[in-house]
Amino acid sequence: MTATPAPLVVIGGPTATGKTGLAIALAEGLHARGIPAEIVSADSRQVYRGLDIGTAKATSAERARVVHHGIDLVEPDVAYSVAEFRAHALAALASLGERGGVGILAGGTGFWLRAVTAGIDTDALPHDAAVRAAIEDRLARDGVEASAEALTALAPTLAAGTDLRNPRRVARALEIGRFRAFAEPIEDRFQQGARVSRLSLRPPQLRQAGGRA
């Protein structure tokens, strides 16, 4: 029987908006009420040991106050993918859920936040040599504009986020789009009974000016 993941509070926003401080204050407030709470850092730079300057990592003292996951996992010369992060985060949240706790997912890497909460299939992003060869043959024969039109017809949302003048990116997007067209629907474990609350922080100058992050 699969445990229900811990209820999750998601705190997003750019660097220096107070995400870490808010996450720690929230966790300690829950601790004061007898509720286990732990923080999962969703920042693609904080996973690397030694990269402390400019990454706004929680300090050793802060990590002593509240358990943090997703920090100092690998050496800087080791590749670490969003798939590995998602597995790490979900394991931590499943364990926390078994203990009746609350998870706090905080970070500035939006793709990593979505990988945990929005059901992105990070476990099997496709690399199909035969499909890629066919796509590249068409690119060479018909040009990038024709392939961009094919991408827009196949996967308009994916196309909207792709540089349609870049042949390499169009080819990769077509490969992913063809995979998704035939893939089974992805089940997001956070749609299976867990509660998710979201907070988005903005820099002080934007708040003062009434702008949007």
Side-chain angles (χ1 to χ4, degrees):
M1 180 177 178
T2 302
T4 299
L8 188 63
V9 178
V10 180
I11 303 174
T15 301
T17 51
K19 296 184 299 294
T20 297
L22 177 58
I24 290 172
L26 178 58
E28 291 184 327
L30 290 166
H31 292 169
R33 297 171 59 187
I35 301 171
E38 298 175 3
I39 296 168
V40 178
S41 169
D43 189 299
S44 59
R45 300 169 300 166
Q46 292 186 7
V47 300
Y48 294 106
R49 302 185 189 106
L51 297 187
D52 299 339
I53 298 175
T55 60
K57 283 183 186 176
T59 66
S60 298
E62 289 170 331
R63 283 181 258 175
R65 290 160 54 191
V66 178
V67 173
H68 281 68
H69 304 274
I71 294 178
D72 292 344
L73 301 179
V74 295
E75 297 299 329
D77 60 347
V78 176
Y80 191 84
S81 70
V82 65
E84 292 170 299
F85 167 73
R86 182 173 186 265
H88 172 80
L90 292 182
L93 294 170
S95 173
L96 188 57
E98 291 174 352
R99 291 178 276 126
V102 174
I104 303 168
L105 180 67
T109 305
F111 183 44
W112 286 32
L113 294 171
R114 293 192 299 274
V116 176
T117 63
I120 295 173
D121 186 6
T122 58
D123 298 320
L125 290 178
H127 282 282
D128 188 307
V131 169
R132 185 57 177 261
I135 290 170
E136 291 180 344
D137 285 346
R138 178 174 180 176
L139 263 171
R141 183 181 68 248
D142 300 332
V144 69
E145 290 185 5
S147 293
E149 290 176 3
L151 174 62
T152 300
L154 175 67
T157 301
L158 185 59
T162 301
D163 180 357
L164 299 180
R165 297 168 296 180
N166 187 314
R168 181 179 60 81
R169 293 183 179 177
V170 169
R172 177 62 176 149
L174 273 169
E175 187 180 4
I176 293 172
R178 289 189 179 184
F179 176 87
R180 289 179 178 173
F182 298 101
E184 293 296 321
I186 301 165
E187 291 187 1
D188 174 17
R189 67 182 300 172
F190 278 95
Q191 295 173 356
Q192 308 300 318
R195 293 169 291 164
V196 179
S197 299
R198 292 177 173 83
L199 300 172
S200 180
L201 304 186
R202 297 181 294 172
Q205 62 269 31
L206 287 179
R207 292 197 299 268
Q208 292 168 3
R212 290 187 175 183

